Amino acid sequence: MTILNGKAWKFGDDVDTDVIIPARHLSTSDPDELAKHCMEDADPQFFNKISKGDIMVARKNFGCGSSREHAPLAIKYAGISCVIADSFARIFYRNSINIGLPILESPEAAESISEGDLITVDLEKGLIKNETKGEKYYSAPFPEFMQEIISAGGLINYVKDRLSEKP
Amino acid sequence: MGMTAAEKIIAAHAGKETVKPGELVKAKVDLILGNDITAPVAIREFKKIGLNKVFDPERIVLVPDHFTPNKDIASAEQAKIMKEFAREQGITHYYEVGRMGIEHALLPELGLTLPGEIIIGADSHTCTYGALGALATGIGSTDMAAAMALGETWFKVPSTIKFVYQGELNPWVSGKDLILYTIGQIGVDGALYQSMEFTGPVIRALSMDSRLAMCNMAIEAGAKAGIIEPDEITYAYLEGRAQREYRGLFSDGDAIYAQEIEFNVSEIEPQVAFPHLPENTRGISEVGEVPLDQVVIGSCTNGRLEDLRIAAELLKGKKVHPHIRLIVIPGTQKIYQQAMKEGLLDIFIEAEAAVSTPTCGPCLGGHMGVLAKGERALATTNRNFVGRMGHPESEVYLCNPAVAAASAVTGKISAPEEVL
Ligand code: SF4
């Protein structure tokens, strides 16, 4: 059972991959290095302000722009445990799952949550709890195989695990 | 409750009776595609899995087409990784320079993309194969690596928008114009996550080359896939070509669509998309004075035989305007050869156009016709983003092959009638 909890950091519509990780930092693919520049153009202190487990909350079309896998990697390695938004750009959605970053679509949560609220997420149930406001929101729960991809730390590890189980 | 063709295809590959839009499923794939840009990354990821063999060496297609024939040392290194992997894995569908074509022109031509199949490709224009009634979509390199190992991938079932085209096509209006017009109407995020189903009497009468051009640009509206249900035209195209058995799937009469949009094509004239988005479309009569430096006829959108025939019809006995570079790139070796036999290449060369071996080349600003600062091109390609064909301060306009050919003669964006 995967329960995540942390403080909410709030963003708006159409946060694009260049905001998540500016192209000038793409000469490296070292995730810890990328993490330091996560959301830098929206908030230069973002990486220093957040604590491990914190949750990003944004509005519609999060992750639009390029198909670079660096974007979800930067978020994940910065210590963000989950992203909640109204909607995600399609390739960002795929890439996030594939690198093991949980992301949830919930327009209700995305609207109600304020910056700083304490949030608990139960991935199995798709349940998002706002401990600060005492509210609950729902998102479609991940099917089992997708939870396995996330808990394996991404698609490549998941495939590895699956193949090693085979007799 | 009824399902759309796209939903049925996903359900069939997921081993389920039914699926609903938004549902996440694991599905078997029939074919996996990679090119010289994306496959090397996927191969690196595949090696991390620690597996010796891909799931099926006959279900993976590797095509070096973007920077090939190798444009520089870096691209040669990438192509080499792919070539060596193909040899080591015994990949049957590896197409070396001299046998290749632009991937999305080549695969349908070889009969590798079939109705009712799921095809994934580490290239966003994989959606082209929807023209044959397949559910085909672009994926990332990590997805490709995992699929090469398992023969399956995961999908979020898309909802479907139904586009119905009625009326009579105007002269010089092709599949390219229909899709440009559609994107102009719904915008570049008009079909985000969704599948676009193209149907109606106009589509039923449309050639396969035009259908391929339409589905090719579904991604330009943000769609996961474009799809046209198979019919007589599809079966005739697949005759003697299909490399596997197949079974077409069709939308039920009571299928649920997210939206239904109808167009009367009698109102559509040849379209031009202005910089820097494919949604900035205008009818040719509203373009005004736009002088050009370069015209490109080619790409996975419009580098097929029908396109070259139309261009030749307009260029016959004429000369390319002195200020213009006209570059014609047949999509595959076979198209190239057929164009030669039909005398089309003679017409192009007589008109003083450059004719190249198949390659993506200028479409992505790779090579074979890159733009300088301030230069302006008109192209039959699919993207006109900032810097797509070269310098960030260059411009790309998109159109069909007839408008491209006519404009190469006049030196500015022109209707085909102007040169007849
Ligand atoms: S021709 Fe252009 S759009 Fe088509 S695959 Fe090549 S680079 Fe991509």
Side-chain angles (χ1 to χ4, degrees), chain B residues 65-66 102-104 123 125 299-300 360 363-364 382 388:
Chain B
D65 58 355
H66 279 63
I102 299 170
E103 51 197 294
H104 311 305
D123 188 274
H125 293 101
S299 87
C300 60
C360 292
C363 173
L364 77 160
N382 49 36
R388 175 75 178 177

Side-chain angles (χ1 to χ4, degrees), chain A residues 3 13 18 30 36 49-50 55 59 61 66 71 81 86 99 109 113 122 124 126 131 133-134 140 145 148 153 162 165:
Chain A
I3 305 287
D13 286 343
D18 275 302
D30 172 6
K36 288 184 200 152
K49 290 201 297 208
I50 58 174
I55 289 170
R59 303 308 303 267
N61 203 21
S66 105
S81 65
D86 281 27
I99 62 120
I113 297 173
D122 180 337
E124 215 163 295
E131 312 287 355
K133 293 204 171 92
F145 76 89
E148 284 169 14
R162 273 202 40 199
E165 280 164 17

Side-chain angles (χ1 to χ4, degrees), chain A residues 8-149:
Chain A
W9 297 89
K10 191 90 193 257
F11 300 89
D13 286 343
D14 302 311
V15 171
D16 67 58
T17 47
D18 275 302
V19 171
I20 299 171
I21 179 73
R24 59 182 178 275
H25 300 302
L26 293 181
S27 49
T28 176
S29 53
D30 172 6
D32 292 313
E33 197 49 43
L34 293 170
K36 288 184 200 152
H37 304 290
C38 180
M39 303 302 292
E40 178 177 277
D41 289 355
D43 177 356
Q45 286 308 313
F46 185 72
F47 178 72
N48 296 323
K49 290 201 297 208
I50 58 174
S51 317
K52 200 170 160 39
D54 281 0
I55 289 170
M56 279 168 77
V57 181
R59 303 308 303 267
K60 73 171 178 57
N61 203 21
F62 186 86
C64 59
S66 105
S67 64
R68 59 182 80 124
E69 280 179 21
H70 303 72
L73 275 175
I75 294 175
K76 182 178 169 179
Y77 281 83
I80 294 291
S81 65
C82 172
V83 185
I84 299 167
D86 281 27
S87 63
F88 294 91
R90 183 183 155 252
I91 303 217
F92 181 86
Y93 188 93
R94 281 201 86 83
N95 288 344
S96 300
I97 303 295
N98 288 346
I99 62 120
L101 173 70
I103 58 178
L104 295 177
E105 281 181 340
S106 170
E108 217 195 336
E111 183 173 353
S112 308
I113 297 173
S114 313
E115 181 137 319
D117 287 357
L118 276 176
I119 307 296
T120 307
V121 177
D122 180 337
L123 288 181
E124 215 163 295
K125 298 206 182 91
L127 173 65
I128 303 163
K129 268 199 245 171
N130 188 332
E131 312 287 355
T132 309
K133 293 204 171 92
E135 293 172 350
K136 280 184 188 172
Y137 329 100
Y138 293 89
S139 164
F142 283 119
E144 203 181 318
F145 76 89
M146 300 219 9
Q147 291 185 44
E148 284 169 14
I149 295 176

Side-chain angles (χ1 to χ4, degrees), chain B residues 101-110 128-129 212 237 299-300 303-304 331-332 335:
Chain B
I102 299 170
E103 51 197 294
H104 311 305
L106 184 67
L107 271 56
E109 177 186 285
L110 291 169
T128 309
Y129 317 131
L212 288 159
Y237 180 84
S299 87
C300 60
R304 298 189 182 79
T332 66
I335 295 169

